[in-house]
Amino acid sequence: MEWNAPSEALVLIDQTKLPSELEYLECRDVDTVVDAIQRLVVRGAPALGAVGGYGVAVAMLQGQREGWSADRLESEVLRVRDARPTAVNLAWGADRVRPFMAQGVAAVLTESDAIMVEDEAANRELSRLGADWILANVTHRPVRVLTHCNTGFLATTAWGTALGIVRELHDRGEVEVVYADETRPLLQGSRLTAWELDREGIPYFVQADGAAASTIMRGLVDVAIIGADRIARNGDTANKIGSVGVALACADADIPFVVAAPSSTVDLETVSGESIHIELRAGEEVTSLAGVRTAPDGARGFNPAFDVTPHRLISAIVSEQAVVEPDGSDVSALVQQ
Ligand code: MRU
């Protein structure tokens, strides 16, 4: 993702087209930004944080071109901020730059650039901390990792969170193989994580989501590492649907289940996972595959995009600030105070 100054546009890799095509989308108006967020052209909690910032700049520039009132601008900024509900980073990013609106677009862009720089630094630091924790808590070498969804550079501003830890472990020569869950219904694992692992030269398998529990319980995995969309005060964690099943299998197999996220994903105002708003997406995403209907015409799809893993199933949560082994008490150490 980058800001293109000459065309005053937010430029995004169109993740819906990967891995077959590497295409870019230029966003110069709020409708395009909101549509890109909702169609998952751009996705992943930390990436959405940066889009929240730049989306405010897009709204201001469109408002200047079209002569919007202050009320209209405010409502368009809120459309960006609230375009998807579960990842706290989107609202966090928009809210972080909103106080700069009075100083003009340049100030909003400077703050958005700062979100990008800080996110990459956070990803790299949490990757070091996470790799250290895993090597101290896993005996098998090299390590066999399972991951779910996509948490690499596509999902962030650079480097990655859970996949960032995998990259760090790989750089240290400590990765045997990664089992990447395909992540139905939108295939972030097989389309995006596999694409990133391929580029990094990290050995991997793509497996059906339904294979994850068995792969773990057969002893083929040493640690599961996932990202997060929102981490509540007590450590309960919302992430891509299917994550809690992976956590249950890890608990049964007695292997660590690790959550990795920058501190911008920690929402201390949300007391527990029960209050996290889980996005319910269109049922057609489940009753079809790559646009082709796979269920009978009358079948209705149930399509929660995320689930909540309770803190008791999480071995460690890693941010750039700390590694917390959650016990139900406050995880504020993950956030700089
Ligand atoms: O619906 P998505 O693709 O935005 O869901 C993304 C996830 O669940 C990721 O695991 C999470 O945002 C962390 S990305 C570093």
Side-chain angles (χ1 to χ4, degrees), residues 42-306:
V42 62
R43 38 133 320 267
L48 290 174
V51 171
Y54 288 123
V56 172
V58 169
M60 290 173 76
L61 289 163
Q62 186 181 3
Q64 285 170 10
R65 290 196 303 271
E66 298 180 8
W68 289 350
S69 66
D71 283 355
R72 170 81 191 272
L73 177 59
E74 176 66 6
S75 73
E76 296 291 335
V77 163
L78 292 179
R79 278 180 65 215
V80 173
R81 179 191 186 277
D82 301 329
R84 288 185 80 192
T86 305
V88 66
N89 305 60
L90 177 59
W92 169 89
D95 289 345
R96 176 162 159 177
V97 306
R98 283 167 73 195
F100 293 89
M101 289 173 69
Q103 294 171 40
V105 179
V108 167
L109 286 172
T110 301
E111 194 61 14
S112 304
D113 292 345
I115 291 175
M116 297 273 286
V117 170
E118 288 169 26
D119 184 62
E120 177 172 0
N123 287 342
R124 288 182 185 270
E125 181 59 15
L126 72 85
S127 296
R128 285 188 282 270
L129 292 175
D132 289 346
W133 188 93
I134 287 165
L135 293 175
N137 285 275
V138 163
T139 48
H140 190 280
R141 295 288 187 280
V143 181
R144 299 161 305 169
V145 178
L146 183 144
T147 193
H148 191 77
C149 197
N150 170 261
T151 58
F153 75 83
L154 290 167
T156 62
T157 61
W159 189 252
T161 58
L163 216 54
I165 295 178
V166 171
R167 291 177 73 177
E168 174 71 23
L169 287 169
H170 176 69
D171 286 352
R172 296 186 195 183
E174 298 284 9
V175 174
E176 181 175 320
V177 69
V178 177
Y179 292 90
D181 288 353
E182 68 171 347
T183 318
R184 274 284 285 152
L186 297 180
L187 305 176
Q188 289 92 331
S190 61
R191 293 189 304 105
L192 309 178
T193 299
W195 187 71
E196 290 198 41
L197 288 168
D198 223 52
R199 286 167 54 119
E200 298 301 326
I202 301 174
Y204 68 94
F205 294 112
V206 174
Q207 66 178 358
D209 298 341
S214 163
T215 306
I216 291 166
M217 293 168 77
R218 285 172 62 199
L220 299 177
V221 175
D222 304 305
V223 60
I225 320 173
I226 64 155
D229 289 87
R230 190 180 295 246
I231 299 169
R233 177 179 279 272
N234 70 345
D236 292 353
T237 293
N239 191 53
K240 179 53 56 193
I241 192 76
S243 299
V244 70
V246 172
L248 283 163
C250 288
D252 189 78
D254 199 23
I255 65 164
F257 178 85
V258 175
V259 171
S263 54
S264 53
T265 304
V266 180
D267 176 12
L268 295 175
E269 306 207 330
T270 295
V271 178
S272 75
E274 275 170 40
S275 342
I276 298 177
H277 181 168
I278 298 295
E279 176 184 7
L280 193 64
R281 294 183 62 84
E284 288 72 39
E285 289 180 351
V286 176
T287 55
S288 62
L289 187 56
V292 178
R293 191 152 179 104
T294 52
D297 283 347
R300 293 183 299 156
F302 177 55
N303 190 14
F306 302 96

Side-chain angles (χ1 to χ4, degrees), residues 18-75:
L18 288 171
S20 45
E21 289 154 53
L22 180 56
E23 278 186 16
Y24 294 86
L25 177 74
E26 267 206 1
C27 305
R28 294 190 77 244
D29 57 54
V30 171
D31 281 353
T32 308
V33 173
V34 169
D35 183 63
I37 295 169
Q38 293 179 340
R39 283 195 305 112
L40 276 53
V41 167
V42 62
R43 38 133 320 267
L48 290 174
V51 171
Y54 288 123
V56 172
V58 169
M60 290 173 76
L61 289 163
Q62 186 181 3
Q64 285 170 10
R65 290 196 303 271
E66 298 180 8
W68 289 350
S69 66
D71 283 355
R72 170 81 191 272
L73 177 59
E74 176 66 6
S75 73

